[in-house]
Amino acid sequence: MTSIPQATTTSPALPEQCIVASLTAEVMFDPEDGQPHLLASTLGNLADLQVISPRALLQMVNRQRAQLDQIEALAQEYAAKVLTPPFLDEYGIDLEEIDAASLFQSNPKLAAGFHAFAARHVDGRTLVVVPTGQKPTVRLAAIRSLVEHMQDQK
């Protein structure tokens, strides 16, 4: 028999939030006169579908880009605060940041391609070195890849 983990009552790392980005645009032909019309909607169910000017559509696009930036920021924050810490704990990883640009200043391409480096200490601890300012989702993917590689080497 397996036990089911109980929900903890600790405060969440992030507040509950919802960010929506939706934009549909299309050119439709009027069935009566055959003329094309530019239509747009910002609701997933197209409830606000309307004929719109190209300028107004571009304004809507800019508003949606701002929403998408907020959604990306939420994903990055979630990776940094919710996913990464328990992953590091689970695998006993010590994380260290370095300024890759100054470390590889003679070779900027090398700095741009540096995502993570891992080393295992004699005492069994694992040190992972990552560049300062790295996006949390990229960081987590790089660390996971290193862990998978180290496990394959066992």
Side-chain angles (χ1 to χ4, degrees):
M1 186 166 142
T2 336
S3 65
I4 299 173
Q6 300 297 312
T8 60
T9 56
T10 61
S11 58
L14 294 174
E16 194 170 306
Q17 43 190 311
C18 175
I19 304 167
V20 177
S22 178
L23 178 60
T24 301
E26 60 183 297
V27 174
M28 292 184 72
F29 291 90
D30 188 313
E32 293 177 12
D33 63 13
Q35 292 299 309
H37 295 285
L38 182 62
L39 293 105
S41 172
T42 57
L43 298 176
N45 64 1
L46 303 180
D48 67 340
L49 187 66
Q50 60 184 315
V51 175
I52 193 165
S53 71
R55 181 175 180 223
L57 178 58
L58 293 176
Q59 289 171 342
M60 294 169 87
V61 166
N62 287 332
R63 285 191 296 274
Q64 293 303 310
R65 277 196 183 108
Q67 291 295 100
L68 292 171
D69 289 345
Q70 290 178 4
I71 290 170
E72 180 184 359
L74 180 63
Q76 298 296 351
E77 186 178 16
Y78 185 83
K81 292 183 178 177
V82 176
L83 299 179
T84 302
F87 186 82
L88 296 175
D89 288 343
E90 179 180 346
Y91 290 96
I93 296 172
D94 296 324
L95 193 64
E96 187 174 316
E97 291 184 330
I98 61 163
D99 180 8
S102 64
L103 183 64
F104 301 113
Q105 70 189 78
S106 64
N107 191 340
K109 283 185 178 180
L110 191 56
F114 174 68
H115 295 288
F117 170 80
R120 204 165 260 153
H121 293 280
V122 279
D123 64 4
R125 291 181 307 117
T126 301
L127 172 68
V128 173
V129 179
V130 294
T132 302
Q134 184 179 46
K135 287 187 175 186
T137 53
V138 173
R139 176 171 292 175
L140 183 58
I143 295 169
R144 281 184 173 161
S145 179
L146 284 172
V147 167
E148 288 173 6
H149 178 72
M150 289 187 302
Q151 288 179 336
D152 288 345
Q153 300 303 308
K154 287 183 179 181

